[in-house]
Amino acid sequence: HFIFGCVAAVGKLLDLSMDELENAQGIASEMTQPHSLAMYSPATLMIRIHHGFICRDAINACLLAQRGITGPRQEILAAPKGYMGFANWDTDADVLTRGIGEQWEMMAVRMKRYPCMMQSQAAIDGILDQMKQHHFTAEDITRIDVDQTPRFNALREESSHTKGNPQTIPECQFSLPYVVATAAIDEDFFMDAYTEEARTRKNVREFMTLISTGDDSSLPAFAVRITIKLKDGKVHSKEYIHAKGHPQNPFTEEELVDKFRKCAGYSAY
């Protein structure tokens, strides 16, 4: 979790001995970083930077271990004094080694299709899918209800003003109403949604007022239910469990190439 996997990777690259690696993990256990929702509400640039701190600290932990600095080696993760001991809920340490050497978790990594928070990926898929499937445009919509698991209440509720009236690029990235409104109007969502001109469009701001969010504990993490009401009285509702890029809804090779080409245009910046 966070630093421990980084230490394992760095330690392997540096060819640490088992003693050195255990010391490196012990050193890392004394500098574990919290993953605070405060960085998201309101959105700050720590969202991008904190990963770098973890990598830097993992490298330092391994270099220190190489030079003979010791750390606790007996109770790092699973023991009562270990990292899991800080949790106020039941933990299962066996998960850490279950299927090791046979089950490759890297194959289960999610890939984002859109440049915004993971919680919004399925919602964008949903609005674009329904517009295409039922042949309507943003101008035909009178209301959009987006239901998610209450797990994301902290991101949505703690800064409702920011989410409903985002101004900066990070605020727009973490505003579900903004990304859904932009996707509906542009029938796509990519980096050009964050230019100053795009962020201040009147039609996007007006469309955001048609979007409401709700809770449904029956929905798994990152899944949504999109309910769209149209001017002609029709209502379309559908659940989107796995956003495009999820291991159970992977990109096709053509979609990966398309995303690469779209990203390449921004690489010079």
Side-chain angles (χ1 to χ4, degrees):
H1 187 255
F2 280 79
I3 198 169
F4 300 111
C6 292
V7 168
V10 174
K12 186 171 180 63
L13 290 171
L14 293 178
D15 197 26
L16 296 188
S17 67
M18 182 58 70
D19 286 346
E20 290 172 334
L21 184 56
E22 288 179 0
N23 276 312
Q25 292 285 16
I27 294 169
S29 72
E30 302 305 314
M31 58 172 66
T32 51
Q33 299 84 354
H35 186 89
S36 170
L37 289 177
M39 75 175 80
Y40 299 97
S41 301
T44 70
L45 292 176
M46 279 306 303
I47 300 164
R48 298 182 175 92
I49 292 175
H50 79 284
H51 307 84
F53 289 159
I54 297 164
C55 296
R56 177 200 62 188
D57 291 344
I59 292 171
N60 285 337
C62 289
L63 294 178
L64 287 169
Q66 267 191 332
R67 285 158 177 75
I69 303 299
T70 60
R73 295 172 55 186
Q74 305 304 316
E75 299 188 51
I76 298 173
L77 291 175
K81 297 178 186 177
Y83 179 69
M84 290 184 173
F86 288 105
N88 61 358
W89 57 85
D90 291 334
T91 59
D92 181 6
D94 291 339
V95 171
L96 297 173
T97 54
R98 189 176 301 152
I100 194 166
E102 300 175 356
Q103 181 177 337
W104 305 97
E105 295 296 340
M106 194 60 135
M107 302 304 293
V109 169
R110 302 180 186 194
M111 300 178 66
K112 287 185 178 180
R113 188 173 198 170
Y114 313 105
C116 58
M117 66 176 180
M118 185 64 77
Q119 291 88 333
S120 296
Q121 301 290 310
I124 298 175
D125 275 351
I127 184 66
L128 295 179
D129 173 67
Q130 293 201 31
M131 291 174 68
K132 180 178 180 180
Q133 181 180 352
H134 300 291
H135 308 290
F136 61 85
T137 68
E139 295 182 355
D140 300 317
I141 298 172
T142 61
R143 180 182 175 90
I144 298 178
D145 293 309
V146 182
D147 294 321
Q148 293 179 305
T149 173
R151 171 182 174 181
F152 299 126
N153 271 349
L155 291 180
R156 190 171 66 239
E157 301 295 344
E158 286 179 7
S159 56
S160 56
H161 172 73
T162 300
K163 303 302 179 189
N165 187 32
Q167 299 299 317
T168 67
I169 292 176
E171 288 173 356
C172 289
Q173 287 176 317
F174 282 80
S175 169
L176 187 144
Y178 177 80
V179 300
V180 171
T182 301
I185 290 172
D186 295 344
E187 299 186 13
D188 193 13
F189 191 88
F190 206 63
M191 295 292 290
D192 52 0
Y194 298 123
T195 64
E196 183 174 359
E197 180 182 0
R199 299 198 313 271
T200 57
R201 285 184 293 176
K202 183 179 179 180
N203 60 341
V204 171
R205 297 289 164 167
E206 291 177 346
F207 195 95
M208 288 171 62
T209 64
L210 306 180
I211 301 170
S212 65
T213 57
D215 293 334
D216 188 335
S217 58
S218 70
L219 293 169
F222 306 112
V224 299
R225 179 185 302 105
I226 302 286
T227 303
I228 302 174
K229 297 181 180 179
L230 304 179
K231 292 178 179 178
D232 62 8
K234 293 181 179 178
V235 177
H236 301 288
S237 184
K238 184 176 178 180
E239 292 182 0
Y240 295 85
I241 305 301
H242 301 302
K244 174 62 72 169
H246 188 281
Q248 296 189 40
N249 186 18
F251 287 113
T252 64
E253 183 173 350
E254 182 180 357
E255 289 168 335
L256 282 172
V257 171
D258 179 60
K259 182 178 179 181
F260 177 84
R261 291 184 183 278
K262 291 171 75 172
C263 289
Y266 293 88
S267 62
Y269 302 98

